[in-house]
Short mmCIF file of all heavy atoms in Angstrom, two decimals:
data_model
loop_
_atom_site.label_atom_id
_atom_site.label_comp_id
_atom_site.label_asym_id
_atom_site.label_seq_id
_atom_site.Cartn_x
_atom_site.Cartn_y
_atom_site.Cartn_z
N SER A 14 2.64 -79.80 -29.38
CA SER A 14 2.05 -79.10 -30.52
C SER A 14 0.58 -78.81 -30.25
O SER A 14 -0.10 -79.59 -29.59
CB SER A 14 2.17 -79.95 -31.78
OG SER A 14 1.42 -81.12 -31.63
N MET A 15 0.13 -77.69 -30.73
CA MET A 15 -1.24 -77.27 -30.47
C MET A 15 -2.23 -78.01 -31.36
O MET A 15 -1.95 -78.27 -32.52
CB MET A 15 -1.39 -75.78 -30.71
CG MET A 15 -0.80 -74.92 -29.63
SD MET A 15 -1.43 -73.22 -29.82
CE MET A 15 -0.73 -72.47 -28.36
N LEU A 16 -3.36 -78.32 -30.77
CA LEU A 16 -4.47 -78.88 -31.54
C LEU A 16 -5.25 -77.73 -32.14
O LEU A 16 -5.52 -76.75 -31.46
CB LEU A 16 -5.42 -79.64 -30.61
CG LEU A 16 -5.13 -81.06 -30.21
CD1 LEU A 16 -6.31 -81.57 -29.38
CD2 LEU A 16 -4.96 -81.94 -31.43
N GLU A 17 -5.63 -77.86 -33.39
CA GLU A 17 -6.52 -76.89 -33.99
C GLU A 17 -7.85 -77.55 -34.26
O GLU A 17 -7.91 -78.60 -34.90
CB GLU A 17 -5.94 -76.35 -35.30
CG GLU A 17 -4.82 -75.38 -35.09
CD GLU A 17 -4.49 -74.59 -36.35
OE1 GLU A 17 -5.13 -74.83 -37.40
OE2 GLU A 17 -3.60 -73.72 -36.27
N VAL A 18 -8.91 -76.96 -33.75
CA VAL A 18 -10.25 -77.47 -34.02
C VAL A 18 -11.10 -76.33 -34.55
O VAL A 18 -10.79 -75.16 -34.33
CB VAL A 18 -10.91 -78.06 -32.75
CG1 VAL A 18 -10.08 -79.20 -32.19
CG2 VAL A 18 -11.16 -77.00 -31.69
N SER A 19 -12.15 -76.69 -35.25
CA SER A 19 -13.08 -75.69 -35.75
C SER A 19 -14.34 -75.76 -34.89
O SER A 19 -14.93 -76.82 -34.73
CB SER A 19 -13.41 -76.00 -37.20
OG SER A 19 -14.57 -75.30 -37.60
N LEU A 20 -14.72 -74.62 -34.31
CA LEU A 20 -15.94 -74.56 -33.51
C LEU A 20 -16.86 -73.51 -34.12
O LEU A 20 -16.52 -72.32 -34.15
CB LEU A 20 -15.64 -74.19 -32.06
CG LEU A 20 -16.90 -74.09 -31.18
CD1 LEU A 20 -17.52 -75.46 -30.94
CD2 LEU A 20 -16.60 -73.40 -29.86
N ASN A 21 -18.02 -73.97 -34.61
CA ASN A 21 -18.98 -73.07 -35.26
C ASN A 21 -18.29 -72.18 -36.29
O ASN A 21 -18.57 -70.99 -36.38
CB ASN A 21 -19.71 -72.22 -34.21
CG ASN A 21 -20.63 -73.08 -33.33
OD1 ASN A 21 -20.60 -74.30 -33.40
ND2 ASN A 21 -21.42 -72.44 -32.51
N GLY A 22 -17.36 -72.78 -37.04
CA GLY A 22 -16.72 -72.06 -38.13
C GLY A 22 -15.48 -71.27 -37.75
O GLY A 22 -14.81 -70.72 -38.61
N LYS A 23 -15.17 -71.16 -36.44
CA LYS A 23 -13.96 -70.46 -36.02
C LYS A 23 -12.89 -71.48 -35.67
O LYS A 23 -13.17 -72.50 -35.05
CB LYS A 23 -14.21 -69.64 -34.74
CG LYS A 23 -15.14 -68.46 -34.91
CD LYS A 23 -14.94 -67.51 -33.70
CE LYS A 23 -16.05 -66.47 -33.62
NZ LYS A 23 -17.22 -66.99 -32.86
N ILE A 24 -11.64 -71.19 -36.07
CA ILE A 24 -10.54 -72.08 -35.70
C ILE A 24 -10.05 -71.70 -34.30
O ILE A 24 -9.73 -70.54 -34.04
CB ILE A 24 -9.37 -71.96 -36.70
CG1 ILE A 24 -9.83 -72.35 -38.11
CG2 ILE A 24 -8.19 -72.83 -36.26
CD1 ILE A 24 -10.23 -73.80 -38.25
N LEU A 25 -10.02 -72.69 -33.42
CA LEU A 25 -9.51 -72.48 -32.07
C LEU A 25 -8.28 -73.34 -31.87
O LEU A 25 -8.22 -74.47 -32.36
CB LEU A 25 -10.56 -72.86 -31.03
CG LEU A 25 -11.89 -72.11 -31.06
CD1 LEU A 25 -12.78 -72.59 -29.92
CD2 LEU A 25 -11.67 -70.61 -30.95
N LYS A 26 -7.30 -72.81 -31.14
CA LYS A 26 -6.09 -73.57 -30.82
C LYS A 26 -6.16 -74.01 -29.37
O LYS A 26 -6.38 -73.20 -28.47
CB LYS A 26 -4.85 -72.70 -31.04
CG LYS A 26 -4.59 -72.39 -32.51
CD LYS A 26 -3.36 -71.50 -32.65
CE LYS A 26 -2.83 -71.42 -34.07
NZ LYS A 26 -3.83 -71.13 -35.08
N LEU A 27 -5.97 -75.29 -29.14
CA LEU A 27 -5.97 -75.82 -27.78
C LEU A 27 -4.52 -76.06 -27.36
O LEU A 27 -3.77 -76.71 -28.07
CB LEU A 27 -6.74 -77.14 -27.71
CG LEU A 27 -8.15 -77.14 -28.30
CD1 LEU A 27 -8.83 -78.47 -28.01
CD2 LEU A 27 -8.97 -75.99 -27.75
N GLU A 28 -4.15 -75.55 -26.20
CA GLU A 28 -2.76 -75.64 -25.76
C GLU A 28 -2.42 -77.01 -25.21
O GLU A 28 -1.25 -77.37 -25.10
CB GLU A 28 -2.46 -74.56 -24.73
CG GLU A 28 -2.53 -73.16 -25.33
CD GLU A 28 -2.36 -72.07 -24.28
OE1 GLU A 28 -1.62 -72.28 -23.31
OE2 GLU A 28 -3.00 -71.00 -24.45
N TYR A 29 -3.44 -77.76 -24.80
CA TYR A 29 -3.17 -79.10 -24.29
C TYR A 29 -4.39 -79.97 -24.55
O TYR A 29 -5.46 -79.46 -24.85
CB TYR A 29 -2.85 -79.06 -22.78
CG TYR A 29 -3.89 -78.35 -21.95
CD1 TYR A 29 -4.97 -79.05 -21.41
CD2 TYR A 29 -3.80 -76.99 -21.71
CE1 TYR A 29 -5.94 -78.41 -20.65
CE2 TYR A 29 -4.77 -76.33 -20.95
CZ TYR A 29 -5.82 -77.04 -20.42
OH TYR A 29 -6.78 -76.40 -19.68
N ASP A 30 -4.19 -81.28 -24.42
CA ASP A 30 -5.30 -82.20 -24.63
C ASP A 30 -6.36 -81.98 -23.57
O ASP A 30 -6.04 -81.83 -22.39
CB ASP A 30 -4.82 -83.65 -24.53
CG ASP A 30 -4.04 -84.07 -25.76
OD1 ASP A 30 -4.18 -83.40 -26.80
OD2 ASP A 30 -3.29 -85.06 -25.68
N MET A 31 -7.61 -81.94 -23.97
CA MET A 31 -8.69 -81.82 -23.00
C MET A 31 -9.89 -82.58 -23.49
O MET A 31 -10.05 -82.81 -24.69
CB MET A 31 -9.03 -80.36 -22.71
CG MET A 31 -9.47 -79.54 -23.90
SD MET A 31 -9.93 -77.83 -23.40
CE MET A 31 -8.35 -77.01 -23.35
N SER A 32 -10.72 -82.94 -22.54
CA SER A 32 -11.95 -83.64 -22.91
C SER A 32 -12.93 -82.63 -23.50
O SER A 32 -12.78 -81.42 -23.34
CB SER A 32 -12.57 -84.31 -21.69
OG SER A 32 -13.07 -83.34 -20.79
N VAL A 33 -13.91 -83.16 -24.18
CA VAL A 33 -14.97 -82.33 -24.74
C VAL A 33 -15.62 -81.51 -23.62
O VAL A 33 -15.86 -80.31 -23.77
CB VAL A 33 -16.01 -83.23 -25.46
CG1 VAL A 33 -17.26 -82.44 -25.81
CG2 VAL A 33 -15.39 -83.85 -26.71
N GLN A 34 -15.86 -82.17 -22.49
CA GLN A 34 -16.47 -81.50 -21.34
C GLN A 34 -15.63 -80.31 -20.87
O GLN A 34 -16.15 -79.21 -20.66
CB GLN A 34 -16.63 -82.51 -20.21
CG GLN A 34 -17.17 -81.95 -18.91
CD GLN A 34 -18.64 -82.20 -18.72
OE1 GLN A 34 -19.21 -83.08 -19.35
NE2 GLN A 34 -19.26 -81.45 -17.85
N GLU A 35 -14.33 -80.52 -20.72
CA GLU A 35 -13.43 -79.44 -20.28
C GLU A 35 -13.41 -78.30 -21.28
O GLU A 35 -13.38 -77.13 -20.92
CB GLU A 35 -12.00 -79.96 -20.14
CG GLU A 35 -11.73 -80.83 -18.95
CD GLU A 35 -10.31 -81.38 -18.99
OE1 GLU A 35 -9.99 -82.16 -19.92
OE2 GLU A 35 -9.52 -81.02 -18.10
N PHE A 36 -13.39 -78.68 -22.55
CA PHE A 36 -13.35 -77.69 -23.63
C PHE A 36 -14.57 -76.78 -23.57
O PHE A 36 -14.47 -75.56 -23.58
CB PHE A 36 -13.28 -78.42 -24.97
CG PHE A 36 -13.40 -77.54 -26.18
CD1 PHE A 36 -12.38 -76.68 -26.53
CD2 PHE A 36 -14.53 -77.59 -26.97
CE1 PHE A 36 -12.47 -75.87 -27.66
CE2 PHE A 36 -14.64 -76.79 -28.10
CZ PHE A 36 -13.61 -75.92 -28.44
N LEU A 37 -15.74 -77.40 -23.48
CA LEU A 37 -16.98 -76.61 -23.46
C LEU A 37 -17.07 -75.78 -22.19
O LEU A 37 -17.49 -74.62 -22.23
CB LEU A 37 -18.19 -77.55 -23.59
CG LEU A 37 -18.29 -78.28 -24.93
CD1 LEU A 37 -19.34 -79.37 -24.87
CD2 LEU A 37 -18.56 -77.31 -26.07
N ALA A 38 -16.64 -76.35 -21.07
CA ALA A 38 -16.65 -75.60 -19.81
C ALA A 38 -15.72 -74.39 -19.89
O ALA A 38 -16.05 -73.31 -19.40
CB ALA A 38 -16.26 -76.51 -18.65
N SER A 39 -14.57 -74.58 -20.52
CA SER A 39 -13.59 -73.49 -20.61
C SER A 39 -14.13 -72.33 -21.43
O SER A 39 -13.69 -71.20 -21.28
CB SER A 39 -12.28 -73.99 -21.22
OG SER A 39 -12.41 -74.17 -22.62
N LEU A 40 -15.09 -72.61 -22.30
CA LEU A 40 -15.69 -71.56 -23.12
C LEU A 40 -16.93 -70.97 -22.47
O LEU A 40 -17.58 -70.08 -23.02
CB LEU A 40 -16.05 -72.12 -24.51
CG LEU A 40 -14.85 -72.55 -25.34
CD1 LEU A 40 -15.31 -73.28 -26.58
CD2 LEU A 40 -13.98 -71.37 -25.71
N GLY A 41 -17.29 -71.50 -21.29
CA GLY A 41 -18.39 -70.92 -20.53
C GLY A 41 -19.77 -71.38 -20.94
O GLY A 41 -20.77 -70.76 -20.58
N PHE A 42 -19.85 -72.48 -21.69
CA PHE A 42 -21.17 -72.97 -22.07
C PHE A 42 -21.88 -73.61 -20.88
O PHE A 42 -21.24 -74.21 -20.02
CB PHE A 42 -21.06 -74.03 -23.19
CG PHE A 42 -20.74 -73.45 -24.54
CD1 PHE A 42 -19.50 -73.66 -25.12
CD2 PHE A 42 -21.68 -72.68 -25.21
CE1 PHE A 42 -19.21 -73.13 -26.37
CE2 PHE A 42 -21.39 -72.14 -26.46
CZ PHE A 42 -20.16 -72.36 -27.04
N ASP A 43 -23.20 -73.48 -20.85
CA ASP A 43 -24.01 -74.16 -19.85
C ASP A 43 -24.37 -75.53 -20.42
O ASP A 43 -25.13 -75.63 -21.37
CB ASP A 43 -25.28 -73.35 -19.56
CG ASP A 43 -26.09 -73.95 -18.43
OD1 ASP A 43 -26.01 -75.18 -18.20
OD2 ASP A 43 -26.83 -73.19 -17.79
N MET A 44 -23.80 -76.57 -19.81
CA MET A 44 -23.93 -77.93 -20.36
C MET A 44 -25.38 -78.38 -20.51
O MET A 44 -25.68 -79.21 -21.35
CB MET A 44 -23.20 -78.94 -19.47
CG MET A 44 -21.74 -78.62 -19.24
SD MET A 44 -20.79 -78.62 -20.78
CE MET A 44 -19.37 -77.70 -20.25
N LYS A 45 -26.24 -77.83 -19.67
CA LYS A 45 -27.65 -78.26 -19.71
C LYS A 45 -28.33 -77.83 -21.00
O LYS A 45 -29.30 -78.45 -21.42
CB LYS A 45 -28.42 -77.67 -18.53
CG LYS A 45 -28.10 -78.30 -17.19
CD LYS A 45 -29.17 -77.98 -16.16
CE LYS A 45 -29.22 -76.51 -15.79
NZ LYS A 45 -28.07 -76.08 -14.94
N PHE A 46 -27.84 -76.75 -21.59
CA PHE A 46 -28.58 -76.13 -22.68
C PHE A 46 -27.89 -76.20 -24.03
O PHE A 46 -28.16 -75.40 -24.91
CB PHE A 46 -28.89 -74.67 -22.35
CG PHE A 46 -29.77 -74.52 -21.14
CD1 PHE A 46 -29.28 -73.94 -19.98
CD2 PHE A 46 -31.07 -74.99 -21.16
CE1 PHE A 46 -30.10 -73.82 -18.86
CE2 PHE A 46 -31.89 -74.87 -20.03
CZ PHE A 46 -31.39 -74.28 -18.89
N ILE A 47 -26.96 -77.14 -24.18
CA ILE A 47 -26.29 -77.26 -25.47
C ILE A 47 -26.26 -78.71 -25.95
O ILE A 47 -26.36 -79.65 -25.16
CB ILE A 47 -24.85 -76.71 -25.44
CG1 ILE A 47 -23.98 -77.47 -24.43
CG2 ILE A 47 -24.84 -75.22 -25.19
CD1 ILE A 47 -22.51 -77.08 -24.48
N ALA A 48 -26.13 -78.84 -27.24
CA ALA A 48 -25.81 -80.12 -27.87
C ALA A 48 -24.54 -79.90 -28.67
O ALA A 48 -24.21 -78.76 -29.03
CB ALA A 48 -26.94 -80.57 -28.79
N LEU A 49 -23.81 -80.98 -28.94
CA LEU A 49 -22.56 -80.85 -29.67
C LEU A 49 -22.53 -81.82 -30.84
O LEU A 49 -22.83 -83.01 -30.68
CB LEU A 49 -21.37 -81.14 -28.74
CG LEU A 49 -20.00 -80.95 -29.40
CD1 LEU A 49 -19.70 -79.47 -29.62
CD2 LEU A 49 -18.90 -81.59 -28.57
N GLU A 50 -22.17 -81.30 -31.99
CA GLU A 50 -21.95 -82.14 -33.17
C GLU A 50 -20.47 -82.14 -33.48
O GLU A 50 -19.80 -81.11 -33.39
CB GLU A 50 -22.67 -81.57 -34.39
CG GLU A 50 -24.17 -81.69 -34.34
CD GLU A 50 -24.82 -81.20 -35.64
OE1 GLU A 50 -24.09 -80.77 -36.55
OE2 GLU A 50 -26.05 -81.24 -35.72
N ARG A 51 -19.97 -83.32 -33.84
CA ARG A 51 -18.59 -83.44 -34.31
C ARG A 51 -18.64 -84.01 -35.71
O ARG A 51 -19.15 -85.11 -35.92
CB ARG A 51 -17.80 -84.37 -33.38
CG ARG A 51 -16.33 -84.49 -33.77
CD ARG A 51 -15.56 -85.36 -32.81
NE ARG A 51 -16.06 -86.73 -32.82
CZ ARG A 51 -15.70 -87.65 -31.95
NH1 ARG A 51 -14.89 -87.37 -30.97
NH2 ARG A 51 -16.20 -88.87 -32.04
N ASP A 52 -18.13 -83.24 -36.67
CA ASP A 52 -18.19 -83.63 -38.09
C ASP A 52 -19.61 -84.06 -38.47
O ASP A 52 -19.80 -85.07 -39.16
CB ASP A 52 -17.18 -84.74 -38.40
CG ASP A 52 -15.74 -84.19 -38.42
OD1 ASP A 52 -15.58 -82.95 -38.44
OD2 ASP A 52 -14.81 -84.99 -38.43
N GLY A 53 -20.60 -83.33 -37.98
CA GLY A 53 -21.97 -83.56 -38.40
C GLY A 53 -22.72 -84.60 -37.60
O GLY A 53 -23.91 -84.81 -37.82
N GLU A 54 -22.03 -85.28 -36.67
CA GLU A 54 -22.70 -86.31 -35.85
C GLU A 54 -22.89 -85.78 -34.44
O GLU A 54 -21.96 -85.23 -33.85
CB GLU A 54 -21.82 -87.57 -35.76
CG GLU A 54 -21.42 -88.15 -37.09
CD GLU A 54 -22.41 -89.21 -37.57
OE1 GLU A 54 -22.85 -90.04 -36.75
OE2 GLU A 54 -22.75 -89.19 -38.76
N ILE A 55 -24.08 -85.99 -33.90
CA ILE A 55 -24.32 -85.60 -32.50
C ILE A 55 -23.46 -86.47 -31.59
O ILE A 55 -23.41 -87.68 -31.74
CB ILE A 55 -25.82 -85.79 -32.13
CG1 ILE A 55 -26.67 -84.74 -32.84
CG2 ILE A 55 -26.01 -85.68 -30.61
CD1 ILE A 55 -26.68 -83.37 -32.21
N LEU A 56 -22.76 -85.81 -30.69
CA LEU A 56 -21.92 -86.52 -29.72
C LEU A 56 -22.71 -86.60 -28.41
O LEU A 56 -23.06 -85.57 -27.83
CB LEU A 56 -20.63 -85.73 -29.52
CG LEU A 56 -19.44 -86.43 -28.87
CD1 LEU A 56 -19.04 -87.68 -29.65
CD2 LEU A 56 -18.26 -85.47 -28.77
N ALA A 57 -23.00 -87.82 -27.98
CA ALA A 57 -23.84 -88.01 -26.80
C ALA A 57 -23.21 -87.37 -25.57
O ALA A 57 -22.01 -87.50 -25.33
CB ALA A 57 -24.06 -89.50 -26.54
N LYS A 58 -24.04 -86.66 -24.82
CA LYS A 58 -23.56 -85.92 -23.65
C LYS A 58 -22.90 -86.85 -22.63
O LYS A 58 -21.96 -86.46 -21.93
CB LYS A 58 -24.77 -85.21 -23.00
CG LYS A 58 -24.40 -83.98 -22.24
CD LYS A 58 -25.66 -83.17 -21.88
CE LYS A 58 -26.08 -82.23 -23.00
NZ LYS A 58 -26.97 -81.13 -22.54
N THR A 59 -23.36 -88.10 -22.58
CA THR A 59 -22.78 -89.07 -21.64
C THR A 59 -21.33 -89.38 -21.98
O THR A 59 -20.60 -89.91 -21.15
CB THR A 59 -23.60 -90.38 -21.64
OG1 THR A 59 -23.79 -90.78 -23.01
CG2 THR A 59 -24.95 -90.18 -20.99
N ASN A 60 -20.91 -89.05 -23.20
CA ASN A 60 -19.53 -89.34 -23.62
C ASN A 60 -18.60 -88.13 -23.52
O ASN A 60 -17.40 -88.26 -23.77
CB ASN A 60 -19.51 -89.84 -25.07
CG ASN A 60 -20.21 -91.17 -25.24
OD1 ASN A 60 -20.34 -91.93 -24.29
ND2 ASN A 60 -20.68 -91.44 -26.44
N TRP A 61 -19.14 -86.98 -23.16
CA TRP A 61 -18.32 -85.77 -23.20
C TRP A 61 -17.10 -85.85 -22.29
O TRP A 61 -16.05 -85.34 -22.63
CB TRP A 61 -19.15 -84.53 -22.83
CG TRP A 61 -20.12 -84.14 -23.89
CD1 TRP A 61 -20.35 -84.76 -25.08
CD2 TRP A 61 -21.01 -83.02 -23.87
NE1 TRP A 61 -21.33 -84.10 -25.78
CE2 TRP A 61 -21.75 -83.03 -25.07
CE3 TRP A 61 -21.25 -82.01 -22.93
CZ2 TRP A 61 -22.70 -82.06 -25.37
CZ3 TRP A 61 -22.20 -81.04 -23.23
CH2 TRP A 61 -22.92 -81.08 -24.44
N GLN A 62 -17.26 -86.49 -21.13
CA GLN A 62 -16.15 -86.54 -20.18
C GLN A 62 -15.05 -87.49 -20.65
O GLN A 62 -13.89 -87.29 -20.35
CB GLN A 62 -16.67 -86.97 -18.81
CG GLN A 62 -16.06 -86.15 -17.70
CD GLN A 62 -17.02 -86.00 -16.52
OE1 GLN A 62 -18.13 -86.51 -16.52
NE2 GLN A 62 -16.57 -85.29 -15.51
N ASP A 63 -15.44 -88.53 -21.39
CA ASP A 63 -14.49 -89.55 -21.80
C ASP A 63 -13.94 -89.33 -23.20
O ASP A 63 -13.09 -90.09 -23.66
CB ASP A 63 -15.16 -90.94 -21.76
CG ASP A 63 -15.71 -91.25 -20.38
OD1 ASP A 63 -15.05 -90.90 -19.39
OD2 ASP A 63 -16.79 -91.85 -20.30
N THR A 64 -14.47 -88.34 -23.91
CA THR A 64 -14.05 -88.11 -25.29
C THR A 64 -13.10 -86.93 -25.34
O THR A 64 -13.42 -85.84 -24.87
CB THR A 64 -15.28 -87.81 -26.18
OG1 THR A 64 -16.20 -88.89 -26.07
CG2 THR A 64 -14.87 -87.64 -27.64
N MET A 65 -11.92 -87.16 -25.88
CA MET A 65 -10.95 -86.08 -26.00
C MET A 65 -11.23 -85.27 -27.27
O MET A 65 -11.72 -85.79 -28.26
CB MET A 65 -9.52 -86.63 -26.07
CG MET A 65 -9.12 -87.45 -24.84
SD MET A 65 -9.35 -86.57 -23.25
CE MET A 65 -7.94 -85.43 -23.32
N MET A 66 -10.90 -83.99 -27.22
CA MET A 66 -11.01 -83.16 -28.41
C MET A 66 -10.00 -83.67 -29.44
O MET A 66 -8.90 -84.09 -29.08
CB MET A 66 -10.69 -81.70 -28.07
CG MET A 66 -11.69 -81.05 -27.12
SD MET A 66 -13.36 -80.93 -27.80
CE MET A 66 -13.11 -79.73 -29.14
N SER A 67 -10.37 -83.64 -30.71
CA SER A 67 -9.51 -84.14 -31.77
C SER A 67 -9.17 -83.02 -32.74
O SER A 67 -10.06 -82.31 -33.20
CB SER A 67 -10.21 -85.25 -32.56
OG SER A 67 -10.79 -86.19 -31.69
N GLY A 68 -7.90 -82.88 -33.04
CA GLY A 68 -7.47 -81.88 -34.00
C GLY A 68 -8.06 -82.14 -35.38
O GLY A 68 -8.26 -83.29 -35.75
N GLY A 69 -8.33 -81.08 -36.10
CA GLY A 69 -8.81 -81.21 -37.46
C GLY A 69 -10.27 -81.56 -37.59
O GLY A 69 -10.77 -81.74 -38.69
N LYS A 70 -10.99 -81.66 -36.47
CA LYS A 70 -12.41 -81.98 -36.53
C LYS A 70 -13.23 -80.69 -36.52
O LYS A 70 -12.80 -79.66 -36.04
CB LYS A 70 -12.84 -82.83 -35.34
CG LYS A 70 -12.12 -84.15 -35.25
CD LYS A 70 -12.92 -85.25 -35.91
CE LYS A 70 -12.29 -86.60 -35.64
NZ LYS A 70 -12.68 -87.61 -36.62
N ARG A 71 -14.44 -80.81 -37.05
CA ARG A 71 -15.37 -79.69 -37.09
C ARG A 71 -16.41 -79.89 -35.99
O ARG A 71 -17.17 -80.85 -36.02
CB ARG A 71 -16.08 -79.67 -38.45
CG ARG A 71 -15.84 -78.43 -39.26
CD ARG A 71 -16.53 -78.49 -40.61
NE ARG A 71 -17.85 -79.11 -40.59
CZ ARG A 71 -18.13 -80.31 -41.11
NH1 ARG A 71 -17.20 -81.04 -41.67
NH2 ARG A 71 -19.35 -80.77 -41.07
N TYR A 72 -16.42 -79.00 -35.02
CA TYR A 72 -17.40 -79.07 -33.94
C TYR A 72 -18.43 -77.96 -34.10
O TYR A 72 -18.09 -76.85 -34.51
CB TYR A 72 -16.71 -78.91 -32.58
CG TYR A 72 -15.78 -80.06 -32.24
CD1 TYR A 72 -14.44 -80.03 -32.64
CD2 TYR A 72 -16.23 -81.17 -31.54
CE1 TYR A 72 -13.59 -81.08 -32.33
CE2 TYR A 72 -15.37 -82.23 -31.23
CZ TYR A 72 -14.06 -82.17 -31.63
OH TYR A 72 -13.21 -83.21 -31.34
N GLU A 73 -19.67 -78.29 -33.79
CA GLU A 73 -20.74 -77.30 -33.81
C GLU A 73 -21.49 -77.37 -32.49
O GLU A 73 -21.95 -78.45 -32.10
CB GLU A 73 -21.75 -77.58 -34.95
CG GLU A 73 -21.19 -77.48 -36.35
CD GLU A 73 -21.09 -76.04 -36.84
OE1 GLU A 73 -21.90 -75.19 -36.40
OE2 GLU A 73 -20.20 -75.77 -37.66
N VAL A 74 -21.58 -76.25 -31.80
CA VAL A 74 -22.38 -76.20 -30.59
C VAL A 74 -23.75 -75.61 -30.93
O VAL A 74 -23.84 -74.58 -31.59
CB VAL A 74 -21.71 -75.33 -29.50
CG1 VAL A 74 -22.66 -75.11 -28.32
CG2 VAL A 74 -20.44 -76.00 -29.02
N VAL A 75 -24.79 -76.32 -30.52
CA VAL A 75 -26.15 -75.87 -30.73
C VAL A 75 -26.72 -75.51 -29.36
O VAL A 75 -26.74 -76.33 -28.45
CB VAL A 75 -27.01 -76.99 -31.36
CG1 VAL A 75 -28.42 -76.50 -31.60
CG2 VAL A 75 -26.38 -77.47 -32.66
N GLU A 76 -27.13 -74.24 -29.20
CA GLU A 76 -27.67 -73.80 -27.91
C GLU A 76 -29.18 -73.79 -27.94
O GLU A 76 -29.79 -73.36 -28.91
CB GLU A 76 -27.15 -72.40 -27.58
CG GLU A 76 -25.65 -72.36 -27.37
CD GLU A 76 -25.20 -71.04 -26.77
OE1 GLU A 76 -25.55 -70.76 -25.61
OE2 GLU A 76 -24.49 -70.29 -27.46
N PHE A 77 -29.77 -74.32 -26.88
CA PHE A 77 -31.22 -74.27 -26.73
C PHE A 77 -31.55 -73.12 -25.81
O PHE A 77 -30.96 -72.99 -24.75
CB PHE A 77 -31.75 -75.57 -26.10
CG PHE A 77 -31.26 -76.79 -26.82
CD1 PHE A 77 -30.34 -77.63 -26.23
CD2 PHE A 77 -31.71 -77.10 -28.09
CE1 PHE A 77 -29.88 -78.77 -26.89
CE2 PHE A 77 -31.26 -78.23 -28.76
CZ PHE A 77 -30.34 -79.06 -28.15
N VAL A 78 -32.50 -72.30 -26.21
CA VAL A 78 -32.88 -71.17 -25.38
C VAL A 78 -34.18 -71.50 -24.68
O VAL A 78 -35.14 -71.92 -25.32
CB VAL A 78 -33.03 -69.89 -26.24
CG1 VAL A 78 -33.45 -68.72 -25.38
CG2 VAL A 78 -31.74 -69.60 -26.98
N GLY A 79 -34.19 -71.35 -23.37
CA GLY A 79 -35.40 -71.64 -22.61
C GLY A 79 -36.50 -70.67 -22.98
O GLY A 79 -36.23 -69.50 -23.25
N GLY A 80 -37.72 -71.15 -23.00
CA GLY A 80 -38.86 -70.28 -23.33
C GLY A 80 -39.23 -69.38 -22.16
O GLY A 80 -38.60 -69.41 -21.11
N GLY A 81 -40.26 -68.56 -22.36
CA GLY A 81 -40.71 -67.70 -21.29
C GLY A 81 -40.29 -66.32 -21.55
O GLY A 81 -40.15 -65.46 -20.78
#
């Protein structure tokens, strides 16, 4: 069964279980320049590889833009 997660207000369907890291990579995010919140809590980057995406959770990606 597909997992449904909310990312920045959009519902996404995941075809298989994946880690947070894999999920963000699959969407083309640059890991260096983003932070991730899950249900309003910042998820530490050190945990992204070990944390699986969870259905029904609200994820928010915050992108930092380099200056210059």
